[in-house]
């Protein structure tokens, strides 16, 4: 039995799709039963909160492998610590964690570093899936695109190699269903180095609609996300990321998707074509 947390997110949803296609015995843990109502009837569901130890104990019972997505609102990692503890107690043998390409000392990277260390200390086998920027981050531009207003970016002409969530999920599914991935950390990127301006230009072609991308200062963008109520650690992490990309430090590509799956990473244009309806 494989347990998937974060099953309704951009990555977890794709992991469920891959595992279902493999015919793997599957269980999902979710806070909202409505969000998993469309899943196959053969997929077990546990509805509840990671903060509730009884719910977690129920979710991990009989599970051998776990796909772990750290809850964004688990500010001090307490819920995740309970999940890891209960998983070990229940006999889970292997945890595949969705981590991050950057695992530094603060912000987003710091949270992933702490989470990875918790798993190293747990005694369970682990695999860390460390993607860079998700192509699905472009969905945050959908409202502007629909309204015909400019897309704003704090990263200027800085480039990254965005990765399709499908590719991340395929690697995670391989690690969950095949032996030999224990103790590995996979850095995942796409092949195309693209700026936000490049991505908007691709969306413009796909949508056959003129779009504009406008640079804004990092501090101005951070003020907006603070107003939106994002937690301070996330605001800090975004500031670090945007500044690094703006300075040209995001131009990293890796061959891991090809090596692990046997195919090249998906392109941003192919992702945009699949998600065209989200922008119209």
């Amino acid at each position: 039995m494989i347990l998937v947390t974060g099953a309704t997110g951009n990555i977890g949803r794709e992991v469920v799709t891959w595992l279902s296609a493999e015919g793997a015995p599957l269980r999902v843990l979710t806070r909202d039963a409505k969000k998993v109502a469309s899943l196959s009837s053969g997929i077990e569901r546990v509805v509840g909160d990671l903060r509730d130890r009884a719910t977690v104990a129920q979710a991990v019972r009989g599970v051998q492998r776990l796909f772990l997505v750290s809850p964004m609102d688990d500010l001090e990692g307490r819920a995740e610590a309970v999940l890891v503890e209960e998983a070990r107690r229940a006999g889970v043998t292997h945890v595949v964690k969705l981590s991050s390409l950057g695992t530094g000392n603060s912000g987003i990277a710091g949270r992933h570093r702490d989470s990875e260390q918790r798993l190293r200390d747990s005694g369970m086998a682990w695999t860390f899936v460390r993607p860079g920027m998700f192509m699905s981050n472009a969905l945050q531009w959908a409202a502007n695109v629909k309204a015909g207003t400019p897309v704003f970016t704090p990263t200027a002409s800085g480039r990254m190699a965005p990765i399709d969530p499908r590719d991340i999920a395929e690697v995670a599914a391989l690690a969950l269903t095949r032996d030999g991935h224990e103790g590995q950390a996979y850095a995942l990127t796409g092949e195309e180095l693209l700026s936000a301006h490049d991505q908007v230009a691709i969306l413009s072609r796909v949508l056959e609609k003129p779009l504009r991308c406008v640079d804004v200062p990092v501090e101005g963008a951070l003020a907006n996300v603070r107003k939106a109520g994002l937690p301070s650690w996330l605001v800090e992490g975004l500031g670090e990321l945007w500044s690094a990309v703006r300075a040209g430090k995001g131009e990293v590509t890796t061959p891991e998707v090809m090596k692990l799956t046997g195919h090249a990473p998906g392109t941003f244009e192919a992702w945009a074509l699949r998600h065209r309806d989200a922008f119209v």
Side-chain angles (χ1 to χ4, degrees):
M1 176 66 72
I2 299 172
L3 173 65
V4 176
T5 68
T8 60
N10 287 325
I11 309 302
R13 186 166 53 243
E14 297 284 2
V15 170
V16 169
T17 298
W18 276 105
L19 294 175
S20 296
E22 291 267 333
L26 188 57
R27 180 183 298 157
V28 298
L29 173 59
T30 181
R31 294 178 186 176
D32 188 348
K34 293 178 181 178
K35 290 185 177 182
V36 295
S38 62
L39 293 182
S40 165
S41 59
I43 297 175
E44 296 183 15
R45 299 154 172 79
V46 174
V47 179
D49 198 298
L50 279 173
R51 292 170 183 77
D52 178 48
R53 187 177 288 270
T55 296
V56 172
Q58 177 189 356
V60 297
R61 191 173 300 127
V63 167
Q64 288 79 46
R65 300 193 177 194
L66 165 66
F67 180 64
L68 173 60
V69 179
S70 302
M72 186 173 290
D73 58 355
D74 183 22
L75 299 182
E76 297 178 0
R78 293 177 182 174
E80 185 176 296
V82 169
L83 176 59
V84 170
E85 179 183 343
E86 291 295 331
R88 179 188 55 78
R89 184 176 297 168
V92 171
T93 58
H94 185 193
V95 180
V96 176
K97 173 184 162 47
L98 180 64
S99 188
S100 172
L101 189 59
T103 52
N105 295 319
S106 61
I108 300 167
R111 282 172 61 86
H112 284 299
R113 177 209 61 199
D114 294 345
S115 180
E116 288 187 0
Q117 190 59 50
R118 182 180 295 114
L119 286 171
R120 287 191 177 97
D121 294 340
S122 72
M124 294 181 288
W126 50 264
T127 305
F128 302 142
V129 178
R130 295 174 172 169
M133 185 182 73
F134 303 166
M135 290 181 184
S136 53
N137 288 358
L139 292 171
Q140 67 188 320
W141 301 332
N144 297 66
V145 171
K146 289 177 181 179
T149 56
V151 167
F152 298 100
T153 178
T155 54
S157 59
R159 300 188 301 169
M160 297 182 74
I163 182 167
D164 191 327
R166 278 189 179 179
D167 291 328
I168 303 169
E170 184 177 1
V171 170
L174 286 171
L176 287 162
T177 57
R178 306 286 193 275
D179 293 330
H181 298 282
E182 296 84 351
Q184 300 298 314
Y186 297 130
L188 305 180
T189 72
E191 286 186 334
E192 306 168 297
L193 286 170
L194 302 172
S195 68
H197 291 269
D198 296 329
Q199 292 174 70
V200 170
I202 291 169
L203 280 173
S204 180
R205 289 202 306 271
V206 167
L207 299 173
E208 300 179 326
K209 175 180 179 178
L211 301 174
R212 284 200 307 138
C213 185
V214 176
D215 295 338
V216 295
V218 170
E219 280 306 319
L222 289 177
N224 286 333
V225 296
R226 286 191 191 98
K227 288 178 185 176
L230 269 63
S232 59
W233 65 265
L234 182 53
V235 173
E236 177 186 7
L238 288 172
E240 292 174 355
L241 173 63
W242 292 339
S243 297
V245 174
R246 195 179 182 105
K249 298 177 181 178
E251 296 190 358
V252 176
T253 60
T254 71
E256 298 302 313
V257 171
M258 174 65 86
K259 285 168 61 177
L260 292 164
T261 69
H263 64 74
T267 65
F268 185 75
E269 183 171 4
W271 176 89
L273 284 165
R274 288 204 321 270
H275 293 85
R276 189 179 186 280
D277 289 350
F279 296 94
V280 297

